[in-house]
Amino acid sequence: MDFTWTSEQQQIRDSVLKLCARFDDAYWLARDAGHEFPEDFCRALADAGFVGVAVPEEYGGSGLGTTEAAIVVQAISESGAANSGVSAVAIGLFGLKPLLVYGSEEQKRAWVPRIVAREDIACFGVTEPNTGHDTTRLKTRAERRGDTYYVSGEKLWISTAQQANKIMLIARTTPLEETKKPIDGLSLFYTDLDRRYADIREIQKMGRACVDSNQIYFDAMPVPAAHRIGEEGRGFRYLLTGLNAERILIAAGLVGLGRAALRRATAYAKERVVFGRPIGMNQAIQHPLAASWAKLEAANLIAFKAAAMQDRDEDCGAEANAAKYLAAEAAFEACTQAVLTHGGMGYAKEYHVERYLREVMIHRIAPISPPLILSYLAERVLGLPKSY
């Protein structure tokens, strides 16, 4: 198995890193402190064609694969943009899969190029307060009357909704008790986020302050039937098509974030002198950093193995989930150790590692938690009984 990137793939990485160098740690610190969305960063990525790297050329993209999208995400995160940079452009990079696979030709030609060019900004409306990972039990309803659905309900942890004018939304169109299986009766829509019917409230949170997270309350928001993706009642199945790519790209981004933290910790360990010697001479400093490097590189291998499998249309559910789990744990350890290596200064914002630690927590928890990944692997890989 060859893990060497092609010259084109290496050029993508180098180009993204060069672009991101214009948006350094000071830029992200200022955006985090001021809760200011990084629209100029998003615009630069879109103008350079990186948002649509995995979108077919006929819809305004570059026509490349999950591997190239993972390279882009990893370079963004590794540059120091961390989770803020990734989350700001996430839906264009890995949120369009259900639309690209199941949308009509008319829908794809009308909607996808506008997202790639950032003429439209979309958010992703799945999570709800009382369902967690059990998406089949969501409560948001879309009731059809004529050629229009009316959406009522509540969504939680919706990123970029303050910026968005569009939303990819899943809602129940058939009551749960009237379906044969819980996965039936859910429909997927891509439509206008109409603030006359959607009350969007930002959630104040631990990290990634410059990219908003929100709670949305829908009160009979009208959605044209023409904005439904695919068949009514099959939206959950459509949603599944994008989950592996999402986990792969998140894993790649987490490795990038861990590398950024490790880079800063290593530099500090070389420069900081205590008792007449740099602290990097001490094995108590060296060994945890070396272990973090090894764990990040191992997670990176399975992430790009999963990406290659996805690009070959192979089943990569186990690999994609394992990559997300391993990358999240390795990145969390690297970010924690970066703060500890800095000692008291690790707590100071000017050294940036405290921001990395706050941001790594988001994707350690979401979009799927470590225990649920382990339950999935135990059942699907090891053949153990379902535990939930």
Side-chain angles (χ1 to χ4, degrees):
M1 185 178 291
D2 186 3
F3 294 100
T4 306
W5 286 347
T6 66
S7 59
E8 181 185 34
Q9 290 170 337
Q10 186 61 51
Q11 184 179 13
I12 290 171
R13 173 179 166 81
D14 293 343
S15 297
V16 175
L17 287 173
K18 182 178 180 180
L19 185 153
C20 289
R22 293 156 42 192
F23 305 90
D24 59 9
D25 274 320
Y27 170 89
W28 292 105
L29 176 60
R31 294 301 177 281
D32 187 71
H35 292 227
E36 182 183 352
F37 189 82
E39 182 58 36
D40 50 347
F41 169 77
C42 297
R43 172 58 55 193
L45 280 173
D47 290 347
F50 293 123
V51 172
V53 66
V55 171
E57 292 181 80
E58 59 264 38
Y59 308 122
S62 300
L64 300 176
T66 301
T67 298
E68 289 75 21
I71 290 171
V72 171
V73 166
Q74 186 169 90
I76 291 171
S77 187
E78 191 172 333
S79 74
N83 192 280
S84 293
V86 173
S87 298
V89 294
I91 196 166
L93 283 161
F94 54 80
L96 296 178
K97 191 75 170 179
L99 175 56
L100 290 170
V101 174
Y102 295 105
S104 68
E105 189 64 23
E106 181 181 4
Q107 289 173 335
K108 287 184 282 191
R109 291 194 179 279
W111 298 337
V112 176
R114 293 184 60 83
I115 300 175
V116 170
R118 206 162 177 81
E119 294 170 0
D120 284 329
I121 301 174
C123 59
F124 209 44
V126 178
T127 312
E128 296 188 3
N130 299 312
T131 57
H133 292 302
D134 192 0
T135 305
T136 61
R137 307 286 174 174
L138 59 80
K139 302 295 192 296
T140 298
R141 293 290 310 277
E143 299 181 7
R144 183 167 185 169
R145 298 197 291 272
D147 291 332
T148 304
Y149 290 88
Y150 294 88
V151 175
S152 296
E154 184 178 355
K155 295 292 180 181
L156 185 66
W157 292 114
I158 310 305
S159 296
T160 71
Q162 296 291 333
Q163 319 301 321
N165 65 317
K166 299 286 186 179
I167 184 169
M168 187 176 287
L169 173 72
I170 190 165
R172 183 160 287 286
T173 45
T174 301
L176 181 61
E177 60 273 13
E178 296 178 16
T179 61
K180 292 181 180 180
K181 299 178 181 179
I183 63 172
D184 295 332
L186 295 164
S187 298
L188 191 63
F189 304 89
Y190 179 81
T191 193
D192 298 327
L193 182 56
D194 192 335
R195 284 164 168 75
R196 293 174 298 175
Y197 307 93
D199 180 10
I200 305 171
R201 304 179 188 179
E202 186 170 359
I203 300 168
Q204 300 303 312
K205 57 189 186 297
M206 175 180 177
R208 206 193 68 183
C210 67
V211 179
D212 51 281
S213 298
N214 302 275
Q215 197 157 4
I216 306 180
Y217 299 88
F218 296 99
D219 184 10
M221 186 178 80
V223 177
H227 291 183
R228 190 189 68 228
I229 298 172
E231 298 178 36
E232 183 177 279
R234 298 185 62 83
F236 183 77
R237 292 175 174 84
Y238 301 158
L239 201 62
L240 293 177
T241 62
L243 294 187
N244 286 336
E246 179 186 48
R247 288 166 183 29
I248 292 166
L249 269 63
I250 285 174
L254 284 163
V255 170
L257 176 51
R259 286 174 174 171
L262 189 59
R263 182 175 64 244
R264 281 200 164 269
T266 301
Y268 188 81
K270 292 175 181 177
E271 297 166 0
R272 173 64 169 154
V273 176
V274 179
F275 300 120
R277 53 190 273 161
I279 63 173
M281 288 183 68
N282 302 319
Q283 290 180 350
I285 298 294
Q286 289 182 354
H287 288 183
L289 298 179
S292 284
W293 179 87
K295 292 175 183 179
L296 287 167
E297 292 306 302
N300 193 55
L301 288 176
I302 194 168
F304 279 95
K305 176 186 177 182
M309 293 174 69
Q310 173 95 346
D311 288 336
R312 294 193 298 265
D313 291 324
E314 297 175 9
D315 181 10
C316 62
E319 290 78 7
N321 279 280
K324 193 274 178 184
Y325 172 79
L326 292 172
E329 297 305 303
F332 174 73
E333 185 175 316
C335 291
T336 302
Q337 196 57 45
V339 172
L340 294 174
T341 299
H342 282 74
M345 299 314 294
Y347 212 61
K349 289 185 180 295
E350 68 179 289
Y351 285 84
H352 302 287
V353 290
E354 65 83 31
R355 176 171 61 85
Y356 295 165
L357 181 58
R358 286 186 288 113
E359 294 206 1
V360 79
M361 290 301 297
I362 301 172
H363 280 159
R364 195 181 185 211
I365 299 167
I368 182 170
S369 65
L372 196 56
I373 289 178
L374 295 178
S375 294
Y376 173 91
L377 295 175
E379 178 192 349
R380 301 297 180 88
V381 178
L382 304 180
L384 295 172
K386 187 173 182 178
S387 61
Y388 56 94

